[in-house]
Amino acid sequence: MYSYGAFSVLIKDFPDLPKQKKYIGFSGHRFRCTSCGETITEDIPCQCPFTRVTWDMALWIIHLLKCHTSISAISAMLSVHWSTIQKIQKHIMDKALAAFETCA
């Protein structure tokens, strides 16, 4: 493996005030295998998978979803796109279904 390049990304974090946006910047490296050419990107530890929000923000969204708050209300309250909330909802539903299948 050798260093192939670098990247930087902004991840949305839980805001201090409603309708305020707060971002955290991260930098990382990409690596490429010398034999097969596959590239690997460093993981960002506080990023929720398949989204650009932190785990803190995702946990707030999960909590609000469990309280039967609508996706549009969460989107307006936290300034997060509805598709991001939908991805988080799908992620927790998939985990619940997997847990249910292992119990049955």
Side-chain angles (χ1 to χ4, degrees):
M1 291 271 187
Y2 67 94
S3 181
Y4 175 64
F7 71 94
S8 62
V9 66
L10 289 176
I11 299 175
K12 189 174 277 193
D13 194 19
F14 190 76
D16 297 327
L17 299 170
K19 297 187 179 184
Q20 181 185 27
K21 295 179 182 178
K22 181 178 177 183
Y23 293 95
I24 300 174
F26 288 95
S27 298
H29 297 91
R30 290 186 183 93
F31 300 97
R32 179 175 278 177
C33 179
T34 54
S35 59
C36 69
E38 180 183 359
T39 59
I40 299 170
T41 304
E42 278 183 315
D43 289 334
I44 299 171
C46 67
Q47 182 181 10
C48 182
F50 309 109
T51 65
R52 291 206 176 192
V53 298
T54 61
W55 273 111
D56 290 339
M57 174 74 94
L59 290 174
W60 270 100
I61 292 170
I62 290 168
H63 176 73
L64 290 170
L65 287 169
K66 287 182 179 181
C67 292
H68 305 289
T69 309
S70 69
I71 290 176
S72 60
I74 297 170
S75 177
M77 196 180 341
L78 299 177
S79 298
V80 177
H81 197 269
W82 65 269
S83 65
T84 301
I85 299 168
Q86 190 177 26
K87 287 177 187 177
I88 293 169
Q89 184 180 33
K90 184 181 180 323
H91 179 74
I92 60 173
M93 288 171 53
D94 290 343
K95 284 179 70 174
L97 284 173
F100 178 75
E101 288 175 355
T102 57
C103 291

